[in-house]
Amino acid sequence: MERRVAWLQDVALELDLDNVTIRRARAEEVRDRFDAVTARAVANLTKLVRITAPILRRGGCLLALKGAKAEVEAEAAKYVIKKAKLDPAIIHEVVTPGEELTKVVEVRRPKR
């Protein structure tokens, strides 16, 4: 969404992050490779891994914000993750400023 991209650009400027590129595009349209790809409410993890794995650099990671079903999605995606030659999913529990618990699924391409 355009407003989220604008917010990310503002944050990158405020933090003086000159090594950050923010792209608003569908993963299928992107031909570059990235250190990090983020996704929120895009697709289930199986589909998300299929469309984002090709744009992850070595050592890069997919960070997908997921809800209560994060573990179920990670389990369902484990074969797709392995086939894409990515490390198994790690689920991080994060408490937001509003004291809400959210789950972030991290899937990383090995450095080797």
Side-chain angles (χ1 to χ4, degrees):
M1 294 179 77
E2 193 170 340
R3 65 184 170 88
R4 291 187 184 128
V5 170
W7 178 81
L8 285 170
Q9 290 170 331
D10 289 344
V11 170
L13 280 172
E14 188 175 319
L15 296 174
D16 198 26
L17 301 175
D18 59 359
N19 63 340
V20 172
T21 302
I22 299 167
R23 298 274 307 265
R24 181 178 180 243
R26 299 179 60 85
E28 301 92 340
E29 300 167 354
V30 176
R31 297 293 170 241
D32 301 325
R33 292 195 176 238
F34 298 93
D35 295 319
V37 175
T38 62
R40 179 181 174 272
V42 173
N44 68 46
L45 192 59
T46 299
K47 183 175 181 178
L48 196 56
V49 167
R50 283 188 182 121
I51 62 178
T52 60
I55 63 174
L56 286 176
R57 284 188 182 141
R58 287 187 178 151
C61 68
L62 164 64
L63 298 171
L65 278 71
K66 293 291 180 181
K69 296 182 181 178
E71 290 86 1
V72 173
E73 285 194 40
E75 179 64 25
K78 71 180 179 182
Y79 297 109
V80 172
I81 292 168
K82 185 175 182 177
K83 185 175 180 179
K85 299 179 180 168
L86 304 174
D87 290 338
I90 299 170
I91 299 171
H92 304 276
E93 292 187 349
V94 179
V95 179
T96 65
E99 298 297 320
E100 250 184 76
L101 177 69
T102 191
K103 295 183 181 183
V104 178
V105 179
E106 175 187 349
V107 181
R108 187 170 292 278
R109 179 169 303 287
K111 290 184 180 182
R112 48 182 162 21

